[in-house]
Amino acid sequence: MSDNTNIPAVTAEGGPATADDPRRSVLPLVVAALVVAIGAAAFIGSRSLGYWDDLGPGPGFFPLWLGVLLVVLGLVWFGQELRARLRPELARKPAADEEETPDYSLPSVLAILVSLCVLAACLEVVGYQVSMLVFLLFHLLVIGRRGPLQSLVIAAAGSFGVYYAFTRLLTVPLPVSSIPILRDLGL
Amino acid sequence: MESFTALLDGFASALTPQNLLFALIGCLLGTILGILPGIGSTAGMAILIPLTLTMDPASAIIMLAAIFYGGAYGGTITSVLLNIPGEGESAITCIDGYQMTLRGRAGAALATAGIGSFIGGTIATLALVVAAKPLSELGLRIGPPEFFSLVLIGLALLVGLVGRSVLKGVVSACLGLLIAMVGIDPVMGLPRFTFDQPHFFDGISYVPVLVGIFGLGELLATSGGAAPKPTAPTLRQLLPTRTDLRRAAPAIGRGASIGTVIGLIPGVSSAISSLLAYSTEKKVSRHRKELGSGAIEGVAAPETANNSHANAAFIPLFTLGIPASPSIAVLMGAFLQNGLTPGPQLFTEAPDLVWTVIASLFVGNLLLLVLNVPMVGLWTRILAIPYSVLRAVIFAFIVIGSYAVNNSVIDIYVMVFFGIVGFVFRQVHLPLAPLVLTLILGPFIESALRESLQISQGDFGIFVDRPLSLVFLLVALAVLAASVLSAGLKRKAGLPTDAEV
Amino acid sequence: MNRAPRVLTLAGIGLACLSLAACSQSGTTAATGDYPTKPIELVVGYEAGGPTDIGARMLAQELEDKLDATITVVNKPAANSQVAYTTLTQAKPDGYTMAATTFPSAIMTVLDKSRGASYERDSFAPVALQVIDPTAVAVAPDSDIKTPKDLVEAAKAKPGKLRATTTGVASNEHFALASLKEVSGAELAPVHFADGSTAATTAFLGGNTDVLLTNVSDLQPLAESGKVRVIGVMDAERAESLPDVPTFKESGYDVEISSSRGYAFPKGTPDEVVDEMSTAIGEIMDDPAFQKKMTEAGLAPSYLDADDYSAYWDDTEKTFGDLFPLVKADS
């Protein structure tokens, strides 16, 4: 297995510090630690499954070794990242295509994730049509800052229109509400 | 030879206006259904079967078959334009396809995919006509041990997919394997890592995972707004250039061979064909260092492979009466409901029907090409929609798609979770391709191993005793050795070992 | 900017949409006070297009006419129907949620404690049986084995050496092998194909196993094309589609294993509702045209009404329950 950090920086790119300059970002460390944790969990979880039976590997065999591998790799990775931060002169300069981490905006990311989870939670409670209507309106009006009429039309199409198309034409059921009043309205 | 004349007769009936119309409807419908992730052509076909009972059997089957391979193309459209895999088989196309879209070359990507699909499908159908029986015998010879060794080749090719950092590539692959292990294990029938949720007994469905990792992950990662957005290509950029086609040609050839061969193996999904085709390109193509950043081969090879596979899957159906995949099983149901039993005796019992259907496979493939290449302009108009609107619609889209797989809200949460995973992967430069490969291949590794050992009663020698299996194993070893050797050679030459040579 | 008019417009349009949606729903028709007055949900625990799903959709189509109601088929494939059963048993017992219940999945998911099913036999109110598909045994056309007796003797001569396909641990075929072993002492080595009977059939045709066990309906096309020789059926009577094949029973081995498909409501559903649905299904199944449609789709029609189905359920549960420890020990 090649070990990339042994190779000293060959290129003389002295670009400005990017978002994932090893000095700044702590995310790779966290992820590496997570990988170790997942590996450990797999290892522990596989202990209760059989390791080997009279015909061959049991259900615990592969997860166990995968867990071991992940733990080892995670630790090595953690070490690499740590070394890059403590001894930056030894770090390999990231190549051109690696420098490009598209920037994300944390508020947007959170808004998206939360809205998706809320949508999922509401789907079977208030039914597809209402949930999707609200969801789309949120994303169009609030996040997308589109005009109200346009947003409403699109949201209506996406909720009622899609519902109609799926349940009538495609006969694929989309969730209806479990609240009786709404259900009787056809939602 | 008499099959040739029979085929010509088949063309005559396949080209009647009525059957042409049905094929057309099928292609369109299939493409639209393929665009919707999670719905797929299988459900669409299943729902339409009762309707087809009132139609003439040949027309019914023609339409259903058209839906089937139309669906394969529909998945490509969303993969390339929106980075959302319509089905497992289009997942790997996301990687290069979407990159091409970001560079304004969406039209070229889609058109090449269409052309490749046509060529791949036609080659596979030709194989059906010419050598159906011997090919199906070949397909049967691939039992669990051979299949296991074949999957090992896939894993060996994985080494080529890891990209710059082998460490990260292997981590990605291991994570994919671990996800694949969730579910009831094939050995003891015990739930494994399922957190007591029956929903996960069959494993984590890979559609929500892929849609999350590719689609949602990308959207999250680019939420800052400064990232390159997919743009609608100009008219001139719509079609592939001559260079494109020249480069795509060998990829198409390789993809078609891989797809046709693997399509013969009953029970194997076309996702495996597209994966293997992509991985092979990574190892073998002249332009392999561009793969991953928008190389046309990365679109041509998997798309050709999955269409070849879809058409080749008809071979076991016609010759043995064995459905190669759930979609074909639905088609088989259509045969049965019309009173026809698929299998070799179908050629003698209802030759007209059989040859009409086969002829319509050719016709349908052509129709797909004719329909979709000009429509590339239409599809790429989707990209002209204002990004904020497009994004909102995509969110709705992926939610519906994830829900529709199992009619379960849990899959939406799975999709969101893997969206986060995909997002994190991008931030720390963990490659996605290895995870996709092991996620799709993973379940087969264990079950093939276990089935082989049950057949051999515990004797591991079965993998080398059986000639085909031995051949595959040797190929896998050769691939591995080649990677190790080339890494060693590079080191000797003083180059960084991750330079692509 | 003044938000109030904006909000009002939104609300107004929203209400308009709601009423539009309400109007577009049929099934909320004139309330006759009788059942059914609302759409009925039929939960199928298998993928769309599979045999259970096809049978359910065919029935649903007829039921819609007979009961003058809308029936929505919802597929919840996962875990051998366990998710579907969980959904059913947690639904309100008002007759508007029904599920396709298949054996052995409905029984096996309860018996196998490791699956942690949240329901049990009493959580179901059986409605009707639709299909019985007995398990049958086949060998290669050129094999030495020609009758069930040959099979038993061959197995006894080489215990644990003859390989037979199943569709997974604790699948129908696995139970069949356990039952055969108990009754005759013949020990075959199971090869589990968790991917389903297609994978099992393919492997068998490729010569990877000696014996193929699967449903009669799956075997019938293969037998017709001469690819397999069916040597025995594990049922009380000979199969209609394979009249020349003896049953294991008549050969002296009392082995009866079938898979079957029926329907059930959650426990607590009013008896009148159960009876009405059961009678409706019975009338549909009596119709020769419908029976023909079913046979063409590869489904062997076999009707039992609610009480008989309930008894059948209990019987089958006992059979599988007795065999279950053997099956678990085997794996």
Side-chain angles (χ1 to χ4, degrees), chain C residues 18-42:
Chain C
L18 274 176
S19 31
L20 260 174
C23 295
S24 72
Q25 287 289 326
S26 75
T28 46
T29 47
T32 58
D34 275 353
Y35 168 85
T37 55
K38 292 192 302 183
I40 302 176
E41 193 179 270
L42 177 57

Side-chain angles (χ1 to χ4, degrees), chain C residues 9-298:
Chain C
T9 332
L10 275 177
I13 302 185
L15 269 177
C17 289
L18 274 176
S19 31
L20 260 174
C23 295
S24 72
Q25 287 289 326
S26 75
T28 46
T29 47
T32 58
D34 275 353
Y35 168 85
T37 55
K38 292 192 302 183
I40 302 176
E41 193 179 270
L42 177 57
V43 184
V44 175
Y46 291 96
E47 296 260 347
T52 314
D53 177 74
I54 291 186
R57 283 182 195 266
M58 284 170 71
L59 190 68
Q61 237 182 349
E62 302 288 329
L63 276 175
E64 281 193 330
D65 291 330
K66 198 159 263 289
L67 293 174
D68 193 26
T70 318
I71 303 198
T72 321
V73 174
V74 179
N75 297 85
K76 287 199 183 260
N80 290 89
S81 263
Q82 192 167 332
V83 174
Y85 298 144
T86 314
T87 311
L88 175 77
T89 50
Q90 287 175 350
K92 262 177 44 164
D94 55 5
Y96 291 103
T97 315
M98 192 163 78
T101 46
T102 62
F103 302 156
S105 71
I107 294 177
M108 185 266 283
T109 49
V110 171
L111 283 178
D112 190 349
K113 294 292 168 223
S114 68
R115 299 181 76 118
S118 62
Y119 51 83
E120 32 164 55
R121 163 73 182 89
D122 291 329
S123 320
F124 295 93
V127 173
L129 182 69
Q130 189 190 9
V131 178
I132 292 191
D133 211 350
T135 308
V137 180
V139 294
D142 55 359
S143 158
D144 290 331
I145 301 175
K146 297 189 174 55
T147 65
K149 199 153 180 304
D150 291 341
L151 179 68
V152 169
E153 294 191 346
K156 279 185 169 164
K158 294 189 279 181
K161 287 277 172 250
L162 271 186
R163 296 156 306 187
T165 64
T166 76
T167 52
V169 175
S171 64
N172 217 18
E173 295 81 12
H174 199 184
F175 280 105
L177 287 174
S179 178
L180 184 64
K181 179 169 169 200
E182 216 197 320
V183 160
S184 68
E187 191 183 326
L188 288 96
V191 181
H192 300 297
F193 291 93
D195 288 326
S197 66
T198 314
T201 312
T202 315
F204 168 75
L205 287 174
N208 291 291
T209 63
D210 311 294
V211 179
L212 174 69
L213 273 88
T214 185
N215 297 327
V216 165
S217 57
D218 289 331
L219 273 180
Q220 200 248 336
L222 291 167
E224 221 180 277
S225 58
K227 295 246 171 253
V228 302
R229 176 196 301 151
V230 188
I231 60 161
V233 173
M234 292 175 164
D235 197 19
E237 296 167 358
R238 294 197 171 193
E240 271 181 40
S241 47
L242 297 167
D244 299 327
V245 177
T247 65
F248 271 75
K249 194 160 180 177
E250 43 179 280
S251 311
Y253 309 105
D254 191 8
V255 177
E256 276 179 47
I257 301 273
S258 337
S259 67
S260 63
R261 300 179 195 115
Y263 300 92
F265 280 121
K267 154 184 85 159
T269 309
D271 285 336
E272 318 85 64
V273 172
V274 174
D275 280 334
E276 186 171 340
M277 180 63 81
S278 186
T279 324
I281 297 182
E283 286 170 14
I284 295 173
M285 303 245 346
D286 259 342
D287 176 17
F290 187 75
Q291 287 179 8
K292 185 161 179 300
K293 270 209 283 188
M294 279 185 65
T295 355
E296 277 177 355

Side-chain angles (χ1 to χ4, degrees), chain B residues 177-190:
Chain B
L177 267 178
L178 210 51
I179 298 171
M181 304 230 150
V182 172
I184 292 194
D185 80 281
V187 178
M188 303 270 296
L190 290 175

